[in-house]
Amino acid sequence: MHFKTSGTALYAMEALAGQIGSCRKCALALSRTKTVPGEGPAPCRVMLVGEGPGKKEDESGRPFVGRAGAILSDLLAQIDLSRDEVFITSVVKCRPPGNRTPGKEEIAACMPFLERQIAILSPVIVVPMGRVATSAIFSRYGIAFPSFREVRGKRFLMSENETGREMSVIPVYHPAVITHNPPARAALEEDFTRLGEILCTLI
Ligand code: URA
């Protein structure tokens, strides 16, 4: 793992990564190579949450190192953020076989890890990328979720479950959207531009 800062949050994240590493709460544990807890500064200001690790992530144990990761790095650079400045993780920490969408039970089994990460990292902004991460986070934090289209690029408020601390949630398209739907590039870039604008007002 590659955490940039030290202190209590760092130790708590390392302990949590250990728990994730030995988790057997769902069937994804049977097919995974490595768990992918996430990486970035602890605590962090911006936390990006994808859907689930792909092949390269499963092999390396690191988030967003494949094709979607290269797109994500470009999108972050466009809004003057480097990967080192943000914490990157996914809703499920083990690769769904064949990169299928994680199932409801798999998301439910893994969600306590994401919740704990949010509590430890205490981000100013949580950025769910794509419908799966957005719906999981909105439902867990009690935010109405009419559809992904209606919420993307907008700012919502959520209360962190352990401390009640308020944080912003800004859903964006998942970077991988353009690998199967190239015309979605404009919408994806628009979401990150909007994220950059909102970030300027918050941090
Ligand atoms: N897509 C995700 O949602 N997460 C990763 O770690 C990689 C690709």
Side-chain angles (χ1 to χ4, degrees), residues 127-178:
V127 183
M129 299 186 288
R131 182 190 55 79
V132 171
T134 305
S135 130
I137 290 175
F138 273 43
S139 109
R140 191 63 197 89
Y141 290 87
I143 310 169
F145 182 70
S147 70
F148 181 67
R149 262 164 198 270
E150 281 173 74
V151 300
R152 60 164 271 256
K154 296 185 185 143
R155 176 177 167 236
F156 296 82
L157 290 177
M158 70 186 222
S159 294
E160 197 276 297
N161 288 335
E162 288 182 24
T163 62
R165 199 178 74 79
E166 204 157 76
M167 42 188 82
S168 294
V169 197
I170 305 168
V172 298
Y173 267 116
H174 192 289
V177 69
I178 57 172

Side-chain angles (χ1 to χ4, degrees), residues 20-180:
I20 292 170
S22 55
C23 177
R24 305 239 157 257
K25 282 193 284 182
C26 82
L28 297 183
L30 302 173
S31 52
R32 75 177 177 227
T33 310
K34 290 189 175 175
T35 53
V36 186
E39 64 186 30
C44 70
R45 291 181 303 165
V46 180
M47 179 180 193
L48 297 156
V49 185
E51 179 175 315
K55 188 168 187 295
K56 289 248 162 69
E57 291 79 16
D58 175 68
E59 286 164 2
S60 64
R62 298 185 58 208
F64 282 90
V65 288
R67 211 142 53 115
I71 300 166
L72 177 60
S73 298
D74 285 349
L75 290 161
L76 291 174
Q78 280 171 33
I79 55 170
D80 288 327
L81 278 177
S82 75
R83 282 179 67 114
D84 290 357
E85 290 176 279
V86 297
F87 192 91
I88 305 176
T89 188
S90 296
V91 169
V92 296
K93 315 299 191 201
C94 296
R95 182 190 185 204
N99 295 349
R100 65 163 170 74
T101 304
K104 265 197 187 141
E105 301 75 22
E106 292 156 357
I107 292 173
C110 222
M111 205 57 198
F113 291 134
L114 181 63
E115 270 180 79
R116 190 74 195 113
Q117 288 180 319
I118 292 173
I120 296 167
L121 295 171
S122 199
V124 178
I125 301 157
V126 177
V127 183
M129 299 186 288
R131 182 190 55 79
V132 171
T134 305
S135 130
I137 290 175
F138 273 43
S139 109
R140 191 63 197 89
Y141 290 87
I143 310 169
F145 182 70
S147 70
F148 181 67
R149 262 164 198 270
E150 281 173 74
V151 300
R152 60 164 271 256
K154 296 185 185 143
R155 176 177 167 236
F156 296 82
L157 290 177
M158 70 186 222
S159 294
E160 197 276 297
N161 288 335
E162 288 182 24
T163 62
R165 199 178 74 79
E166 204 157 76
M167 42 188 82
S168 294
V169 197
I170 305 168
V172 298
Y173 267 116
H174 192 289
V177 69
I178 57 172
T179 63
H180 48 83

